[in-house]
Amino acid sequence: MMKIWGRANSSNVQKPLWFCEEAGIEYERIDVGGAFGRTREPFYLAMNPNSLVPTLEEEDGFVLWESNTIARYLADKHKTHDWYPTDPRERAVVEQWMDWSTSVLAAAITPAFWGLIRTPEAQRDPKAILASAEKCASAAAILDAQLRERSYVCGETPTLADISVGINSYRWLHLPWHLVGYTRPELPALQAWYERLTTRPAYRKVVMIDLT
Ligand SMILES: N[C@@H](CCC(=O)N[C@@H](CS)C(=O)NCC(=O)O)C(=O)O
């Protein structure tokens, strides 16, 4: 069976997991990374020289890393073109939001996530977390504007863009911002989209878990 290497609490691992659940693709997930370690062992580095998760390993030995790339590969392989359109322009817009999710949204939220979830209180840097919060608010406003015109990030049905963006948005919506006295802005279109995602069993199973 196809293997997905990576701990379940990783936002990047959640991308292929969520897609597999949506598309009914069977997989075996193996815990590595974070507290599970093993990503610096030779067998893992041979698959993924970045020592990061996720890594996809097919039964025939084909290996792939980079979470967005794995999701796109799986969508192409299983011909789930409602999630990943074939029309060049439609496809490019999906990819645009996937890239944006990594380069803007995830980059904005990472310092806050680490500061609020993975740093002991005594070592927390509220200033860095608040700077991160402001960047997240700017990114979220861009997303909210996009979602005012459509039910999902790229139209009326979910695509891979919702997967990339929906995982990072869950974090933005659920981080304990109050620990640094911050209140995130209310964004009605983003909130309504999030409520739509919460009706999906795959989102509930893979993404709506404790932030750890
Ligand atoms: N651009 C890569 C980033 C992968 C990445 O940064 N993964 C993090 C987890 S979200 C990681 O491996 N951290 C170290 C670890 O878990 O040991 C991707 O999208 O797959």
Side-chain angles (χ1 to χ4, degrees):
M1 190 184 299
M2 180 182 88
K3 293 185 179 123
I4 296 175
W5 294 83
R7 54 191 169 82
N9 64 349
S10 147
S11 58
N12 288 310
V13 173
Q14 288 173 1
K15 293 176 198 169
L17 296 184
W18 177 4
F19 181 68
C20 285
E21 296 289 336
E22 292 282 2
I25 301 168
E26 287 194 2
Y27 62 92
E28 177 193 357
R29 188 186 61 75
I30 303 162
D31 275 323
V32 289
F36 298 98
R38 300 184 70 193
T39 57
R40 296 209 169 272
E41 291 179 19
F43 86 93
Y44 193 83
L45 288 171
M47 293 192 292
N48 186 337
N50 306 291
S51 178
L52 295 173
V53 293
T55 302
L56 177 100
E57 184 187 8
E58 293 272 33
E59 267 185 303
D60 66 0
F62 176 74
V63 164
L64 202 58
W65 36 264
E66 283 297 333
S67 56
N68 285 333
T69 303
I70 294 170
R72 289 190 289 259
Y73 161 75
L74 290 173
D76 262 342
K77 182 184 167 195
H78 293 272
K79 300 189 174 23
T80 42
H81 296 306
D82 43 343
W83 286 86
Y84 190 36
T86 50
D87 174 80
R89 291 187 180 185
E90 286 179 28
R91 175 168 280 218
V93 174
V94 169
E95 290 171 344
Q96 165 192 274
W97 284 100
M98 294 176 87
D99 288 348
W100 179 84
S101 181
T102 301
S103 61
V104 177
L105 191 52
I109 207 164
T110 297
F113 183 84
W114 274 85
L116 291 167
I117 302 292
R118 295 189 183 151
T119 304
E121 190 180 347
Q123 290 160 32
R124 214 168 262 151
D125 177 355
K127 215 173 143 194
I129 295 170
L130 290 170
S132 177
E134 289 306 328
K135 286 183 184 165
C136 290
S138 301
I142 292 170
L143 179 59
D144 185 71
Q146 174 76 357
L147 289 164
R148 266 178 240 151
E149 310 291 326
R150 43 190 76 72
S151 302
Y152 293 93
V153 174
C154 295
E156 291 312 306
T157 60
T159 64
L160 294 184
D162 295 274
I163 289 187
S164 291
V165 177
I167 289 166
N168 287 312
S169 297
Y170 181 79
R171 294 183 165 204
W172 182 65
L173 290 167
H174 293 281
L175 277 177
W177 295 110
H178 64 275
L179 296 178
V180 287
Y182 177 78
T183 307
R184 63 171 172 73
E186 292 297 327
L187 297 173
L190 192 157
Q191 186 67 35
W193 164 74
Y194 166 69
E195 303 294 341
R196 281 190 278 282
L197 295 183
T198 66
T199 66
R200 309 189 72 83
Y203 190 70
R204 301 182 72 84
K205 178 177 173 181
V206 173
V207 184
M208 296 177 70
I209 60 175
D210 287 346
L211 297 178
T212 57

